[in-house]
Amino acid sequence: MKPVNMFPNEASVYRTRQSGAALVVALILLVALSLMAISSMNTASLDLIMAGNEQYRSRSFVASEAGIEYAMDFGTLDTSSNFSQASTAVGSGSDTFSYTITRPNNGVPESAPEFNSLNAGSGVQRVTFRITSIGGSERGSTTTHTQEMYKVIRGSDSLMADSTCGTADLDSAVSGC
């Protein structure tokens, strides 16, 4: 006697019920995960660029400050003319600064400020200078700083361009002129 198959169409029934939904869901999840990965990579790249730009901005700030310090130490404090220093390399990399020393009062001596201890009737005057420094770094980063300063002088040292001493440079002025 031959065995009787109680479920003659069982395999064909399961094949007709499968419509490929699992494959469609898996592909949708794969696309979503791929988009999230690409978005994360773009965000990380943008963060890296922003951090680099901030670093270069900071370096241009430091270069500009170095220009102010350099001008105060080595600049020409001349009452007869303005002075400009061309671009000068500072630190490592391509960081540079340039500065200009101008005379807001055209180099004319003014009375010394009241808080100056030397002001007590001694004929002390001041000459005001404005230093503008521009610091630069990579990616076109620039920072500009302006610093005003004054030099305290005795009334007899207030040399102008037409002085009989022959100099308007306060650094080389002598009080015996």
Side-chain angles (χ1 to χ4, degrees):
M1 188 151 130
K2 192 174 176 189
V4 178
N5 187 356
M6 296 175 59
F7 306 103
N9 294 328
E10 180 178 341
S12 63
V13 169
Y14 287 125
R15 274 188 230 144
T16 57
R17 285 191 199 167
Q18 294 179 359
S19 60
L23 179 63
V24 172
V25 170
L27 287 175
I28 290 174
L29 289 175
L30 183 63
V31 167
L33 287 174
S34 297
L35 289 175
M36 287 182 4
I38 291 170
S39 175
S40 296
M41 288 187 328
N42 286 340
T43 300
S45 296
L46 184 61
D47 286 346
L48 187 62
I49 290 170
M50 289 189 317
N53 287 342
E54 181 60 25
Q55 177 186 7
Y56 295 129
R57 188 208 58 81
S58 178
R59 286 172 51 179
S60 69
F61 176 86
V62 169
S64 178
E65 287 292 315
I68 293 285
E69 292 297 321
Y70 188 86
M72 291 174 92
D73 290 342
F74 304 110
T76 302
L77 301 178
D78 190 339
T79 60
S80 65
S81 64
N82 297 333
F83 179 77
S84 292
Q85 171 71 34
S87 184
T88 304
V90 62
S92 61
S94 62
D95 300 347
T96 60
F97 68 81
S98 60
Y99 66 86
T100 303
I101 301 175
T102 57
R103 305 155 301 131
N105 196 23
N106 293 323
V108 175
E110 306 169 82
S111 61
E114 294 178 16
F115 57 84
N116 190 316
S117 63
L118 299 174
N119 196 30
S122 62
V124 173
Q125 295 178 313
R126 71 175 175 180
V127 177
T128 304
F129 298 95
R130 180 176 295 138
I131 303 169
T132 303
S133 176
I134 301 172
S137 188
E138 297 175 34
R139 292 189 190 165
S141 175
T142 60
T143 304
T144 302
H145 285 144
T146 301
Q147 174 78 39
E148 282 197 5
M149 63 175 280
Y150 63 88
K151 207 162 192 182
V152 176
I153 60 172
R154 290 184 293 230
S156 62
D157 286 343
S158 58
L159 304 173
M160 297 304 293
D162 58 350
S163 169
T164 58
C165 291
T167 180
D169 185 352
L170 294 176
D171 290 330
S172 63
V174 289
S175 62
C177 289

